Amino acid sequence: MEVSGNDGAFNKARNIVTFAKPPWVEREHSGKLERLILQLGSGKGVFSEVEGIPRSIGCIGNNRFILRDTPMELDLIESVIREFAMISGRDLYLTNYDELSILEEVSHFSVTLPIENVYPVVRIEDFKKASFSTDVKPIVEVRYSRRNMERLQDIEGAHAILLMIKGEEIWSIKNFSFPCEVYIDVLFPGSLRKVDFDLMEAKRIFKAHMTFHPCLSGTLAITPEGFALPCPLLRNFIVGNVKELNLKQILRKRRLKKFWKLKKEDIDGCKLCPFNSTCHDCRALEYYASGDIMGLEYCPLDHPSRHNVQKGFMYKKLI
């Protein structure tokens, strides 16, 4: 039996709140900083920068990266979080840790500040060893397997589960009742031809974002080295460095705002599509599949371009 990724009854019965897209894409965006994704180390995740990160919600997950500079000291990490609390204080995701003790310490520090939601993303292997205060909202990250699904039955104290799963495995969870919210992190193959799940359902969103990008808008990521990015997976698109600039200065950067205000109409091949306002767009997945930040690989529809846009124009616009 094939289960549709966005089937309402399926999602409601299993506590699945988002399928193949971050949990904030349906929100109305303000055009201001809404969430900070703070990476604490090079990471111990399943997927690596070298081999490729095919995750639809890999932005908040634990991955493995090659550090290009010395990591931030703990004092600087806390300073960045403190400034985030003053500017926004909405959602803080703590991820890509090397040592569990650092994730715990930064989480404990963060909940002492006026931040609405503190989400440490902890690997299932470490969750039972972790010690978090009751104000923290841990997200347990797990790769689908029968063994791991059994382990999830004993999960207590988790706010949500980030479940990495292949398209061919989705049917396997149709009868599984999760103990908390679930984010289905679908693993994309390297090209459209290899997609083995309902891509239209995976990309569908119900609230059109006419002014701001549904995924990138309001998002700022900080790497372990202090580089500021529009997305943790877009590591070649640095918009600042917290070792040199504070968050307010970085937020004024035009390059960051261009990502926040990017619309489907700006993407060659999407402009004339009647579904462009209700189709989720992950620039990181498209970039790594096509090699172009304005590329379009994962589209099940064939929309020939009929508008006059010079080749590479939008790419130059973003850099």
Side-chain angles (χ1 to χ4, degrees):
M1 175 180 178
E2 183 177 354
V3 179
S4 172
N6 270 0
D7 183 89
F10 174 72
N11 291 356
K12 185 176 181 180
R14 312 303 168 204
N15 290 331
I16 297 173
V17 298
T18 187
F19 179 84
K21 55 188 74 70
W24 59 80
V25 297
E26 297 283 355
R27 295 180 185 173
E28 189 68 39
H29 297 311
S30 63
K32 299 179 181 180
L33 180 63
E34 298 170 2
R35 69 199 61 84
L36 178 66
I37 303 174
L38 185 57
Q39 297 179 317
L40 301 176
S42 57
K44 301 186 295 182
V46 175
F47 297 100
S48 73
E49 177 182 12
V50 175
E51 298 168 351
I53 303 174
R55 305 174 59 179
S56 56
I57 320 181
C59 52
I60 61 173
N62 291 287
N63 303 294
R64 287 178 283 129
F65 295 103
I66 298 173
L67 300 190
R68 305 173 185 178
D69 199 353
T70 55
M72 294 184 290
E73 298 289 341
L74 184 59
D75 288 347
L76 179 55
I77 292 174
E78 293 181 348
S79 177
V80 170
I81 296 173
R82 191 178 293 110
E83 188 179 5
F84 170 71
M86 295 175 60
I87 296 174
S88 171
R90 186 166 182 177
D91 297 333
L92 173 64
Y93 291 88
L94 302 171
T95 185
N96 239 69
Y97 60 94
D98 293 326
E99 298 178 17
L100 181 59
S101 59
I102 297 297
L103 180 66
E104 293 171 330
E105 183 174 354
V106 175
S107 298
H108 292 322
F109 168 78
S110 300
V111 294
T112 65
L113 302 173
I115 298 176
E116 186 175 340
N117 299 301
V118 176
Y119 300 113
V121 184
V122 56
R123 299 165 66 240
I124 192 171
E125 295 85 353
D126 297 328
F127 182 66
K128 287 193 174 182
K129 298 180 289 185
S131 175
F132 297 115
S133 68
T134 55
D135 295 328
V136 171
K137 299 178 179 179
I139 298 174
V140 178
E141 180 184 52
V142 58
R143 176 75 179 269
Y144 172 80
S145 70
R146 290 186 178 181
R147 167 61 178 148
N148 282 338
M149 297 303 284
E150 292 175 359
R151 296 169 74 179
L152 289 177
Q153 297 281 12
D154 299 326
I155 289 293
E156 294 183 1
H159 171 75
I161 294 168
L162 179 61
L163 179 62
M164 295 175 280
I165 190 168
K166 294 180 180 179
E168 63 187 22
E169 298 168 334
I170 294 173
W171 68 271
S172 302
I173 64 173
K174 68 181 187 302
N175 294 320
F176 191 86
S177 295
F178 294 96
C180 56
E181 291 185 357
V182 183
Y183 310 150
I184 300 297
D185 186 5
V186 180
L187 303 179
F188 275 59
S191 69
L192 177 64
R193 295 189 303 273
K194 298 179 180 179
V195 169
D196 55 357
F197 54 90
D198 190 335
L199 190 55
M200 287 294 288
E201 290 294 325
K203 292 172 70 71
R204 184 174 62 176
I205 57 177
F206 296 94
K207 181 179 290 184
H209 297 271
M210 304 306 294
T211 305
F212 304 105
H213 192 278
C215 185
L216 295 174
S217 181
T219 299
L220 182 67
I222 305 295
T223 72
E225 313 98 308
F227 297 122
L229 309 172
C231 166
L233 302 183
L234 292 176
R235 293 176 65 80
N236 292 332
F237 297 87
I238 298 171
V239 298
N241 190 331
V242 296
K243 292 178 180 177
E244 303 169 356
L245 305 170
N246 59 40
L247 288 189
K248 286 186 177 180
Q249 292 172 317
I250 291 173
L251 293 175
R252 288 197 290 265
K253 293 290 184 179
R254 291 183 180 179
R255 194 180 191 193
L256 176 63
K257 292 182 178 180
K258 287 177 181 178
F259 277 97
W260 283 13
K261 294 183 178 181
L262 177 66
K263 298 188 292 291
K264 296 300 287 292
E265 288 82 353
D266 297 325
I267 301 170
D268 191 11
C270 293
K271 184 173 184 178
L272 300 179
C273 178
F275 304 107
N276 61 17
S277 64
T278 56
C279 179
H280 175 60
D281 177 53
C282 177
R283 283 296 90 203
L285 280 174
E286 300 291 0
Y287 175 62
Y288 285 108
S290 67
D292 185 351
I293 189 60
M294 301 304 294
L296 188 64
E297 170 64 25
Y298 297 111
C299 178
L301 305 177
D302 183 18
H303 293 293
S305 175
R306 300 175 186 171
H307 47 96
N308 295 322
V309 179
Q310 293 181 358
K311 186 176 181 180
F313 171 75
M314 284 306 301
Y315 181 84
K316 294 177 182 178
K317 181 180 177 182
L318 285 175
I319 61 174

